């Protein structure tokens, strides 16, 4: 059964700056909500879309909050944190190709980012390959990483707010060779369109895990909640919200597709019901005239009740 999760803030998906999709991910992630730690195990199929062979792969990480920004005052550094600045690091534990370890070297971001962000260190991991990858050749690498996140309220990062955890931009490593080939600043925290074959996300508590995907299967027990999601279209990023306070409304369309609206707090129920009705009408309309939905619902919008 096809299930689409729709948040209370909906918008049309915008086209990516780089239309060429060169990577497909299969992700198994485990999040410990008490220790605020995520373990991420990825299998990435990557195709060299450049016009030349390469012996390096560049992985984009989110380590901008791994240390204080010395160009800023403590007041600015401590802003948006519950108890002052706490480092949030994303660590590469291993990278392998055909079960053989690959060498990892980190590249610092441009100096100008020091004014805009916190840390410029270890945002780009340079993976050295044992042999060149030819043009249009596809290889597979396995990446294991660990990310911790403190109480932090910026909508641009992984955040925790009132027992609600949101995984947003760049919470899992992504290959950014296209940015490097185009001489863009690969030190900037950016994402590229990519395919996700499968995401398996497990939380160590009974909770609600909400995200937008083509197919979603959820199971839960007293001590854990597990979501398995699939996408039949390319995406820029996977946004996930985890909270015991999330409420859900579900309605089936005429072709038996389930559409779900997830919202915080009962006071937003009427708004959720209205948006669910509009979403069902829009889905049925575009399916009827286009034979397929021409837009994608994104989990990147804010959830009602959470500013």
């Amino acid at each position: 059964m096809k299930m689409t999760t729709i948040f209370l803030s909906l918008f049309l998906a915008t086209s990516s700056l780089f239309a060429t999709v060169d990577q497909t991910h299969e992700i198994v992630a485990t999040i410990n909500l008490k220790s605020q730690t995520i373990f991420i195990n990825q299998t990435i199929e990557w195709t060299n879309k450049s016009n030349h062979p390469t012996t390096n792969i560049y992985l984009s990480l989110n380590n901008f909050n791994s240390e204080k920004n010395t160009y800023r005052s403590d007041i600015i550094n401590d802003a948006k944190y519950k108890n002052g600045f706490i480092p949030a690091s994303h660590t590469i534990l291993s990278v392998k190709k055909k079960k053989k370890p690959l060498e990892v070297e980190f590249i610092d971001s441009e100096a100008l980012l020091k004014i805009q962000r916190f840390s410029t260190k270890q945002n780009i991991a340079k993976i050295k390959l044992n042999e060149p990858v030819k043009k249009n050749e596809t290889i597979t690498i396995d990446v294991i990483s660990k990310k911790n996140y403190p109480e932090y309220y910026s909508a641009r990062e992984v955040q925790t707010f009132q027992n609600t955890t949101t995984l947003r931009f760049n919470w899992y490593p992504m290959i950014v060779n296209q940015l490097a080939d185009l001489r863009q600043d690969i030190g900037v925290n950016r994402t590229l369109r990519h395919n996700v074959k499968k995401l398996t996300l497990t939380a160590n508590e009974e909770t609600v895990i909400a995200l937008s995907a083509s197919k979603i299967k959820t199971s839960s027990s007293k001590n854990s909640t597990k979501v398995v999601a699939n996408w039949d279209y390319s995406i820029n990023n996977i946004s996930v919200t985890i909270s015991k306070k999330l409420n859900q409304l579900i309605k089936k369309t005429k072709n038996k597709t389930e559409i779900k609206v997830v919202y915080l707090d009962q006071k937003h129920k009427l708004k959720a019901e209205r948006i669910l009705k509009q979403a069902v009408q829009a889905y049925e309309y575009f399916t009827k005239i286009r034979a397929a939905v021409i837009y994608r619902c994104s989990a990147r919008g804010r959830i009602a009740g959470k500013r």
Side-chain angles (χ1 to χ4, degrees):
M1 179 179 293
K2 195 171 186 178
M3 179 182 291
T4 303
T5 301
I6 299 180
F7 285 97
L8 293 183
S9 292
L10 302 177
F11 53 88
L12 301 183
T14 57
S15 60
S16 174
L17 177 62
F18 305 97
T20 303
V21 176
D22 64 355
Q23 57 195 286
T24 298
H25 295 239
E26 187 164 347
I27 305 170
V28 178
T30 303
I31 181 168
N32 188 314
L33 298 173
K34 292 183 179 178
S35 65
Q36 297 178 324
T37 304
I38 313 168
F39 284 91
I40 306 162
N41 195 325
Q42 291 170 266
T43 298
I44 307 175
E45 293 180 0
W46 176 72
T47 302
N48 183 9
K49 297 289 186 178
S50 68
N51 294 321
H52 54 80
T54 183
T55 55
N56 299 314
I57 288 179
Y58 297 95
L59 285 177
S60 174
L61 305 175
N62 186 341
N63 268 317
F64 287 115
N65 297 312
S66 61
E67 61 182 23
K68 284 189 176 184
N69 185 344
T70 57
Y71 284 72
R72 291 179 169 182
S73 66
D74 286 340
I75 294 178
I76 300 299
N77 278 319
D78 292 339
K80 299 181 180 179
Y81 287 88
K82 183 177 180 180
N83 298 308
F85 179 84
I86 300 175
S89 62
H90 196 160
T91 307
I92 296 290
L93 300 179
S94 73
V95 180
K96 295 181 179 180
K97 179 188 175 187
K98 296 181 179 179
K99 299 183 179 180
K100 294 182 179 180
L102 298 175
E103 184 180 344
V104 180
E105 174 187 340
F106 285 96
I107 302 174
D108 288 350
S109 306
E110 294 292 335
L112 62 89
L113 293 179
K114 293 179 180 178
I115 301 175
Q116 303 170 358
R117 304 274 188 169
F118 282 80
S119 174
T120 62
K121 297 179 180 179
Q122 298 194 350
N123 292 307
I124 299 295
K126 181 180 178 181
I127 313 301
K128 298 181 180 181
L129 303 173
N130 297 327
E131 54 187 8
V133 181
K134 300 177 183 178
K135 177 183 177 182
N136 294 324
E137 181 181 355
T138 300
I139 65 170
T140 301
I141 62 172
D142 296 306
V143 182
I144 300 177
S145 63
K146 173 186 175 183
K147 184 173 182 65
N148 74 291
Y149 58 95
E151 292 277 338
Y152 186 61
Y153 308 132
S154 171
R156 292 182 177 273
E157 318 292 345
V158 176
Q159 59 180 328
T160 331
F161 183 68
Q162 295 181 349
N163 297 318
T164 298
T165 298
T166 303
L167 311 179
R168 290 179 66 85
F169 305 112
N170 217 178
W171 62 270
Y172 53 94
M174 193 174 304
I175 297 177
V176 289
N177 277 51
Q178 287 190 64
L179 295 179
D181 288 336
L182 292 170
R183 297 184 179 179
Q184 300 288 328
D185 181 6
I186 58 174
V188 178
N189 185 22
R190 300 176 71 173
T191 60
L192 293 172
R193 293 200 73 81
H194 56 287
N195 295 318
V196 177
K197 186 182 300 183
K198 184 179 180 181
L199 166 69
T200 303
L201 176 62
T202 304
N204 66 327
E205 297 179 11
E206 184 178 11
T207 185
V208 176
I209 301 177
L211 70 159
S212 177
S214 301
K215 296 179 181 178
I216 301 173
K217 183 178 179 180
T218 303
S219 58
S220 62
S221 64
K222 205 168 186 180
N223 300 317
S224 68
T225 302
K226 179 180 178 181
V227 164
V228 179
N230 305 86
W231 288 259
D232 57 12
Y233 50 91
S234 62
I235 60 177
N236 285 82
N237 187 67
I238 302 174
S239 292
V240 184
T241 299
I242 305 169
S243 177
K244 293 182 179 180
K245 300 193 300 181
L246 287 176
N247 299 283
Q248 305 178 67
L249 291 176
I250 300 174
K251 188 173 182 179
K252 290 184 179 180
T253 62
K254 292 178 180 178
N255 66 353
K256 296 184 180 180
T257 296
E258 282 191 354
I259 295 183
K260 181 195 299 182
V261 169
V262 181
Y263 63 99
L264 281 173
D265 304 326
Q266 287 298 323
K267 64 182 179 180
H268 298 286
K269 185 176 181 180
L270 289 177
K271 186 186 294 185
E273 290 175 343
R274 183 173 68 251
I275 289 181
L276 178 59
K277 180 179 179 181
Q278 294 170 348
V280 170
Q281 291 174 345
Y283 181 93
E284 292 177 343
Y285 172 77
F286 285 117
T287 301
K288 182 178 179 181
I289 66 171
R290 298 286 186 180
V293 180
I294 64 171
Y295 64 88
R296 301 298 180 190
C297 302
S298 174
R300 288 182 292 176
R302 68 174 182 268
I303 301 176
K306 180 178 179 180
R307 301 293 180 181

